[in-house]
Amino acid sequence: MKPVRYGMIGGGQGAFIGGVHRTAAAIAGNWELVAGAFSSTAEKSFASGAEIGVDPARVYGSWAELLEREASLPGDIRIEAVSIVTPNHAHAAPAIAAMEAGFDVIIDKPLAHSIEAAQAIADATIRTGRLIAITHTYTGYPLVKQARRLVTSDQFGKVRRVAVKYTQDWLSRAADLENNKQAAWRVDPALSGEAGAFGDIGTHAANLVEFITGERIVSICAELTMLEGRRIDDDGAALLRLSGGGKGTLTASQVLVGDINDLAIDVWCDEAGLHWRQEEPNTMRIAYRDKPTEIWNAGANRAYLSPDILAIQRTPAGHPEGYLEAFANIYQAFGARIRDEPSNADEPGFATIADALSGMNFLRASLESSRAGAVWTEL
């Protein structure tokens, strides 16, 4: 397949996620970075482009300039898609403008800093007919996809309960905010939106629940808290109700000492329980009442995995693939969708605008519930 030519907005010097996106796109193999506006300041954008190795003639001082000048280039040269890796408050304007300029969009989660901005992006997809993908990374793991296949097939019966946690400790001290670019915008409601940890990592946890179960979260009872001196939540927990009748719990925190990046999910159905942990992503445990527990392994030579899941794995079992490869699977799937390649998978391979809006409603309801004293709130 001819690689999708893309430009990046954000992700320059000092940014974490921009490098992740570029690496993932390179691993996917069906993307080519040809342009960018890598910073909100022109000088830093040009310096970042030089470091990354992009043609200086196609490094721009602003995202508006990138879209205008790229749209004026011949069709076989200009970008075909835009990757947006800016802080949350700077998602909507470039995403909408990119679609209106004729480009597809891949954008980091959450979709935007507010429900209104997210809806404006959704409206633009309808108005322009352009494609959009949201990078909920953890759905790219092969065993997460296999878990979805097993749970939604009903072979284990209905979902009774889900427990998901995403806990970190990187903001557990006051000093963690000092001279830390990644922390600065995440704890600033003007840049991140009204949700802190729930917006940054709680959305991943909620998305994982909905992806594996195939059900939506329909109501929530949440309590969000923060350390003294903070302005938005850095810790929280919630009770969940699912559209299929199951119940659940969700914890998201960036101040739990000793937890590095602990995303874990347990799904209990009528006849089995499935257990997966992101820090050990290449194994999944399936436990039964009346027969031995199974340990499933990821790997390109594990014949018991579904064929479309085997197809996205690059190494044999015992040669671990992780976060970057999961991210790459999202880029690979979206690139194939842009090229209109057929797929045998039971899901798109990337989070859709409907998934992203569900995540934004999760944040809205969580905030409303917590502010009202942890009351049940409909999504």
Side-chain angles (χ1 to χ4, degrees):
M1 188 186 81
K2 188 176 181 180
V4 175
R5 299 182 302 277
Y6 79 104
M8 178 167 282
I9 296 175
Q13 293 175 332
F16 160 71
I17 204 65
V20 170
H21 278 255
R22 291 189 293 271
T23 301
I27 294 172
N30 56 353
W31 292 77
E32 180 185 7
L33 179 63
V34 298
F38 299 103
S39 176
S40 57
T41 64
E43 181 180 3
K44 193 170 182 180
S45 178
F46 296 135
S48 299
E51 285 185 5
I52 295 166
V54 176
D55 180 355
R58 297 181 72 177
V59 177
Y60 304 101
S62 69
W63 62 259
E65 183 187 11
L66 179 150
L67 298 178
E68 179 181 5
R69 289 182 56 184
E70 286 292 320
S72 69
L73 295 175
D76 61 343
I77 296 175
R78 66 172 173 253
I79 60 172
E80 301 167 273
V82 170
S83 174
I84 299 176
V85 292
T86 58
N88 302 345
H89 76 293
H91 284 185
I96 293 168
M99 288 186 280
E100 290 176 341
F103 304 127
D104 297 320
V105 172
I106 185 165
I107 189 169
D108 210 42
K109 61 80 227 160
L111 183 58
H113 69 298
S114 69
I115 193 73
E116 293 79 13
Q119 188 59 57
I121 296 173
D123 292 343
T125 66
I126 298 171
R127 184 173 66 251
T128 64
R130 303 313 308 181
L131 301 173
I132 188 167
I134 296 85
T135 54
H136 275 291
T137 317
Y138 305 101
T139 61
Y141 280 103
L143 289 182
V144 169
K145 292 181 181 292
Q146 186 67 47
R148 172 190 168 88
R149 187 71 51 86
L150 294 169
V151 171
T152 60
S153 69
D154 292 329
Q155 62 182 288
F156 297 144
K158 292 183 62 177
V159 173
R160 291 183 176 178
R161 178 164 291 278
V162 178
V164 65
K165 56 168 286 189
Y166 198 160
T167 52
Q168 304 170 332
D169 68 358
W170 73 292
L171 296 180
S172 59
R173 298 169 178 165
D176 293 328
L177 306 187
E178 297 174 5
N179 302 314
N180 187 335
K181 178 180 178 180
Q182 299 307 313
W185 72 263
R186 284 177 169 83
V187 299
D188 184 348
L191 302 180
S192 72
E194 293 182 285
F198 256 50
D200 193 24
I201 57 176
T203 47
H204 276 311
N207 176 257
L208 200 60
V209 168
E210 294 191 335
F211 181 80
I212 291 178
T213 65
E215 302 177 15
R216 293 296 187 194
I217 298 170
V218 294
S219 59
I220 188 169
C221 177
E223 182 181 46
L224 279 57
T225 61
M226 66 192 78
L227 296 183
E228 184 177 355
R230 304 279 170 89
R231 291 184 286 169
I232 49 179
D233 64 281
D234 44 34
D235 178 82
L239 301 175
L240 311 174
R241 292 173 179 160
L242 301 177
S243 57
K247 307 296 193 297
T249 58
L250 183 152
T251 301
S253 179
Q254 292 171 320
V255 297
L256 295 189
V257 175
D259 283 15
I260 302 173
N261 193 57
D262 195 7
L263 171 61
I265 187 166
D266 306 287
V267 181
W268 292 277
C269 303
D270 293 335
E271 299 298 332
L274 289 80
H275 310 275
W276 180 83
R277 188 176 185 183
Q278 194 271 154
E279 291 185 348
E280 300 171 355
N282 296 283
T283 60
M284 174 173 63
R285 182 168 59 92
I286 303 179
Y288 305 91
R289 176 172 174 173
D290 299 318
K291 60 180 181 179
T293 295
E294 300 171 357
I295 301 297
W296 290 51
N297 295 294
N301 60 344
R302 300 293 90 182
Y304 48 75
L305 300 175
S306 300
D308 57 296
I309 295 172
L310 286 171
I312 62 171
Q313 295 177 87
R314 299 162 181 82
T315 62
H319 298 74
E321 296 182 28
Y323 177 76
L324 292 173
E325 290 84 359
F327 222 116
N329 288 336
I330 294 170
Y331 264 89
Q332 186 178 58
F334 190 50
R337 177 67 183 86
I338 289 173
R339 289 286 182 257
D340 203 25
E341 288 194 338
S343 171
N344 294 321
D346 69 339
E347 43 90 19
F350 52 86
T352 65
I353 194 69
D355 298 324
L357 288 176
S358 181
M360 294 302 298
N361 277 319
F362 161 78
L363 293 180
R364 173 195 55 77
S366 298
L367 290 164
E368 289 180 3
S369 172
S370 184
R371 288 166 179 168
V375 300
W376 282 102
T377 303
E378 301 295 319
L379 270 66

